[in-house]
Amino acid sequence: MRRIITPTKMPARLLEVFRGNGAFFGRVSGDVMRISGAIGLAQILAFAAAPLLTRLYGPEAFGHFAVLGALVNILLPLISLRYNWALPLPRDDVTAREILALCLVVTAASSAVVAALGMAAQQALAGWIAVTMTDIWLLTAALLITGLHEVMTGWLVRHQMFQQVAGVRFITLLGVVAGQIGFGAINPDASSLLMGLIGGYLLGFIRAAYQCRDALQESVRGIELGRLCRAALEYRRFPLLTTPSSIVSGISSQVPNLVLPSLYGMGMTGQWSLAQRVLWQPTAFIGQAVSQVFWGNAARLQWENPKRLWLLFVFFNAGLLAVMVPAVVVLWLPGDLFVWIFGPNWGQAGQFAAIIVLSSFVGLAAHGTESLHVYGLNHWMPGWETFRLVLVGGGLGLAWWLDLSAMGCVAALSLANIVADSSLLALNAVAIRRIRARAGRSDTGRMPVANPTR
């Protein structure tokens, strides 16, 4: 018979559950801190260098870079066809190495295809978002290096080598900033910003590849067409379901960077880009660390201990929402503070940040614990991504139809993201609850205390 827990007993019950799983939460919290600590130090240094970047580059350069970055984010799922997301799933390393080899081959082949298509479409892109042939080559390089970086990081996450992941992220972030400053001192345009991005991810890839060198060598030596085809077919849901979903996700998240230049000009897009960059710091500081630790544990806990997976989901989301509380201060920051920190051209970015911070609350939690692909629910994501695209596209369409000011457009986009991310958080909660219910429908309400496993 199911034990009924009254509302008055809930706080005590929750305290009992968290105490019983203290060792487990201590371990995962330590993993998060190892990653976020290294990333946090890199972010502090990067943020300290931001005033130099905003004085080297003007809003127009940042606006053009936002367009190029949007193209990278939209096309990135096509590079590995999201097979890298399957790396943590196999229970044996032999199958995982076959997937690793598949990722390497697909990444190289896809980059060549994107380069050919980009050269063919360059004139059309030039008339729309001012993309040059140099941009096409730089975009190809960025996609190749970023794709390989994701593959290597996926292998580290599979083996829960979170300290190594932290080192890779640290080198990557510092490399990006150092490269952008170095290239900007020579020629402060969008191409220099993109070359800095490529340089940083190249350094991170080299570090990650060194950490994975044994598995990488075995995977390369074992490349055979039959094995690649077998791995591709076994995990076909990733290119068939996850990749289209990720592309739609990229479009829905990056479409403002592609549309805002037409509505308000490159300068306004640059202001938007800086506001997003500043508010992205909490996501880079701890959100990505939480995502990687949660992802690495969710693949195992859904089979071994679904109840603990639910508890981990609640624990991480509560922590992520708490992390964002200090960002409320941005709501009272005048644009003059942005001018003081970033230079006289960036006052509008401060006004945008005061609005965008509202959507950052929900977004950090929703994307930090999103793992539908791990639960085998890849088919849920296309529906959600389409829903978000409709909301974001509706916000941009409303701004155009009503001839809203730039501030009005930013408010509409923030509201769309709040609604979309809230629904993503709900979907993941439903997915985990379903896993938990399926594992034991005769639950007595008592959380078993198990020895933590790695």
Side-chain angles (χ1 to χ4, degrees):
M1 180 176 180
R2 184 182 296 273
R3 185 184 353 177
I4 299 176
I5 302 176
T6 63
T8 57
K9 295 181 180 180
M10 284 299 293
R13 175 61 182 154
L14 287 175
L15 184 59
E16 176 189 346
V17 169
F18 278 98
R19 282 178 177 172
N21 292 270
F24 171 70
F25 286 114
R27 177 178 65 78
V28 296
S29 297
D31 290 335
V32 170
M33 293 306 297
R34 273 188 285 274
I35 298 178
S36 61
I39 295 175
L41 178 58
Q43 283 299 315
I44 291 173
L45 297 175
F47 192 78
L52 178 57
L53 283 174
T54 54
R55 286 167 172 81
L56 279 173
Y57 300 93
E60 290 76 14
F62 268 91
H64 192 188
F65 176 64
V67 171
L68 299 177
L71 293 175
V72 171
N73 280 286
I74 291 171
L75 296 175
L76 186 59
L78 291 172
I79 297 303
S80 64
L81 296 179
R82 286 302 190 220
Y83 277 119
N84 58 301
W85 285 17
L87 285 171
L89 300 184
R91 298 191 177 186
D92 61 284
D93 272 357
V94 174
T95 303
R97 283 195 294 269
E98 292 178 355
I99 299 175
L100 179 59
L102 177 64
C103 289
L104 298 175
V105 172
V106 170
T107 298
S110 299
S111 299
V113 172
V114 168
L117 294 176
M119 288 187 290
Q122 186 270 325
Q123 291 186 349
L125 292 172
W128 174 30
I129 47 180
V131 173
T132 65
M133 190 60 73
T134 299
D135 292 334
I136 296 297
W137 287 110
L138 289 176
L139 283 170
T140 302
L143 288 167
L144 175 61
I145 297 302
T146 307
L148 291 173
H149 187 284
E150 284 195 343
V151 170
M152 293 296 99
T153 303
W155 184 265
L156 293 175
V157 169
R158 168 182 172 77
H159 291 279
Q160 299 191 23
M161 299 169 66
F162 296 118
Q163 184 173 353
Q164 288 77 6
V165 172
V168 170
R169 292 297 302 160
F170 180 82
I171 289 175
T172 301
L173 291 172
L174 279 191
V176 169
V177 174
Q180 289 177 338
I181 292 175
F183 288 119
I186 301 172
N187 185 28
D189 61 6
S191 296
S192 295
L193 286 167
L194 188 55
M195 286 190 291
L197 178 74
I198 294 169
Y201 273 86
L202 178 60
L203 290 175
F205 163 69
I206 293 172
R207 172 64 182 269
Y210 178 78
Q211 299 289 345
C212 306
R213 58 190 181 279
D214 293 336
L216 192 59
Q217 290 173 0
E218 292 182 20
S219 296
V220 172
R221 285 198 299 264
I223 291 179
E224 295 179 4
L225 182 59
R227 292 181 178 179
L228 294 179
C229 290
R230 183 175 65 245
L233 288 174
E234 184 175 356
Y235 293 91
R236 60 187 178 276
R237 69 178 185 273
F238 287 90
L240 294 179
L241 297 175
T242 307
T243 297
S245 172
S246 298
I247 293 173
V248 176
S249 174
I251 294 173
S252 61
S253 64
Q254 299 298 325
V255 70
N257 291 325
L258 299 178
V259 175
L260 289 177
S262 300
L263 295 178
Y264 303 100
M266 283 291 184
M268 181 271 176
T269 308
Q271 301 280 354
W272 158 272
S273 174
L274 179 64
Q276 294 272 36
R277 185 171 183 148
V278 170
L279 291 175
W280 177 73
Q281 302 302 318
T283 303
F285 174 67
I286 195 169
Q288 292 181 2
V290 168
S291 178
Q292 289 168 339
V293 173
F294 187 84
W295 178 26
N297 283 278
R300 174 174 50 84
L301 289 177
Q302 67 171 323
W303 305 113
E304 295 180 4
N305 198 333
K307 294 180 182 179
R308 180 168 281 177
L309 174 59
W310 169 252
L311 199 58
L312 183 66
F313 177 77
V314 174
F315 175 75
F316 273 173
N317 275 295
L320 288 171
L321 291 173
V323 164
M324 285 301 295
V325 170
V328 176
V329 176
V330 177
L331 291 171
W332 291 279
L333 293 182
D336 291 344
L337 185 58
F338 266 63
V339 170
W340 180 67
I341 296 176
F342 301 109
N345 298 321
W346 298 99
Q348 191 179 33
Q351 299 170 0
F352 290 164
I355 299 175
I356 298 171
V357 69
L358 297 174
S359 62
S360 299
F361 271 92
V362 183
L364 178 61
H367 294 280
T369 55
E370 189 282 302
S371 292
L372 291 178
H373 62 286
V374 172
Y375 313 139
L377 297 172
N378 310 57
H379 56 285
W380 284 19
M381 284 304 291
W384 178 80
E385 299 292 2
T386 303
F387 175 63
R388 181 170 71 161
L389 180 58
V390 170
L391 288 174
V392 174
L396 290 168
L398 186 66
W400 171 78
W401 181 261
L402 299 179
D403 196 21
L404 296 179
S405 65
M407 289 289 290
C409 181
V410 171
L413 290 173
S414 296
L415 179 60
N417 283 319
I418 288 172
V419 175
D421 289 334
S422 297
S423 65
L424 178 61
L425 197 60
L427 283 177
N428 278 271
V430 170
I432 297 174
R433 296 286 290 185
R434 285 179 54 176
I435 293 172
R436 178 179 175 178
R438 188 167 57 241
R441 299 185 182 279
S442 60
D443 178 28
T444 63
R446 179 180 178 84
M447 171 66 73
V449 179
N451 292 327
T453 58
R454 289 202 63 100

